[in-house]
Amino acid sequence: MDIEPGVDPGRMSAPVEDYLKAIYDLAGQSGTASTNDVAARLGVAPASVTGMIRRLSGQGLIEYERYRGVRLNDSGRAVALRTIRRHRVIETYLTEVLGYAWDCVHDEAERLEHAASDELVERMATALGNPTADPHGAPIPTADGHVDERKHRSLADLEIGTLARMVRVSDKNAGLLRYLAEIDLTPGAEVQVLARAPFDGPLTLQVGGTESVVGQGLAEQVMVEEVEATPDKS
Ligand SMILES: [Zn+2]
């Protein structure tokens, strides 16, 4: 299967893939991630990050600028996106096909993303009908490295009364995911802020036909998009 010209991401070691994924995640719009942030994200000492950064730089996967941080070059970005694709396809397969709950797939995917071959992942994607988002609403990069990097506003910033659709939430906090599932606030659900208590107090939401109260911290982690008023087609 011809997936990735040039670099073969399948051949990278798990630590290399984890570093590149962390840098991709942390770099965001600026494109640069500080080595301290990378260390914190991966839970390793800054000194060991420095060693790995030199290695990745020597392998032509990242650019390192002293005092500024690291940025992925095209090869490193391709490896990061391939790893993210594997992670998100696996999460989708575990929930859709194997019936896992959405709060139980992240840790499995963290391990399997390094072990699964590209062929296995592509077969999973095909079996799923080539999904564009994972169970948490995160965009799945295409096999040739395109990804929807649109930023979304958080539920915490939504005006009162505006009808919105839940788009995405981080997959890393299982407790939060379980709570969101309890109040039916999952990707695709329509949500409205009915009231907001002052001084960063809780928000009263309407999800489906049900009212729920959530904290500001939770609302900040839930990404939404406004529902456009569509003309009646009948
Ligand atoms: Zn995950």
Side-chain angles (χ1 to χ4, degrees):
M1 198 175 291
D2 186 18
I3 295 154
E4 184 61 56
V7 181
D8 179 0
R11 304 291 163 88
M12 297 287 164
S13 68
V16 168
E17 290 179 338
D18 282 338
Y19 266 79
L20 296 173
K21 210 169 59 145
I23 294 166
Y24 177 86
D25 231 29
L26 292 165
Q29 307 222 303
S30 74
T32 308
S34 84
T35 48
N36 283 340
D37 287 349
V38 175
R41 169 64 65 95
L42 295 171
V44 295
S48 54
V49 170
T50 310
M52 185 59 143
I53 294 296
R54 288 215 182 86
R55 241 180 83 192
L56 296 176
S57 177
Q59 287 177 281
L61 295 165
I62 62 168
E63 318 283 342
Y64 172 55
E65 291 170 41
R66 199 177 279 268
Y67 308 119
R68 288 200 61 227
V70 290
R71 64 170 54 232
L72 298 176
N73 62 23
D74 288 348
S75 304
R77 187 180 147 85
V79 177
L81 288 173
R82 286 298 300 158
T83 310
I84 292 167
R85 174 173 172 79
R86 290 202 292 263
H87 184 99
R88 293 181 181 167
V89 167
I90 289 165
E91 287 192 341
T92 310
Y93 193 87
L94 293 175
T95 50
E96 299 280 313
V97 180
L98 302 183
Y100 277 70
W102 76 333
D103 57 288
C104 299
V105 292
H106 178 72
D107 291 344
E108 289 286 5
E110 283 288 281
R111 290 187 290 271
L112 294 173
E113 68 186 18
H114 307 299
S117 69
D118 283 340
E119 180 176 356
L120 174 60
V121 171
E122 293 318 310
R123 282 177 185 250
M124 286 176 170
T126 304
L128 291 163
N130 293 307
T132 55
D134 77 11
H136 314 103
I140 298 177
T142 61
D144 59 358
H146 293 281
V147 64
D148 178 359
E149 282 172 328
R150 261 178 309 166
K151 295 276 171 263
H152 295 282
R153 58 208 296 224
S154 83
L155 185 57
D157 299 327
L158 193 66
E159 296 81 13
I160 287 171
T162 301
L163 184 61
R165 187 177 292 115
M166 199 281 216
V167 178
R168 179 176 178 180
V169 63
S170 163
D171 60 1
K172 292 179 181 69
N173 184 338
L176 173 74
L177 293 173
R178 276 193 296 276
Y179 181 68
L180 291 176
E182 253 171 56
I183 62 169
D184 288 327
L185 192 50
T186 54
E190 290 193 344
V191 56
Q192 237 174 331
V193 179
L194 299 179
R196 178 182 278 118
F199 305 107
D200 293 335
L203 287 76
T204 308
L205 306 178
Q206 177 153 311
V207 186
T210 313
E211 283 186 26
S212 317
V213 177
V214 301
Q216 179 79 10
L218 180 150
E220 283 168 2
Q221 297 190 54
V222 175
M223 299 300 134
V224 297
E225 66 186 3
E226 269 182 50
V227 174
E228 310 269 331
T230 46
D232 197 344
K233 280 177 193 150
S234 62

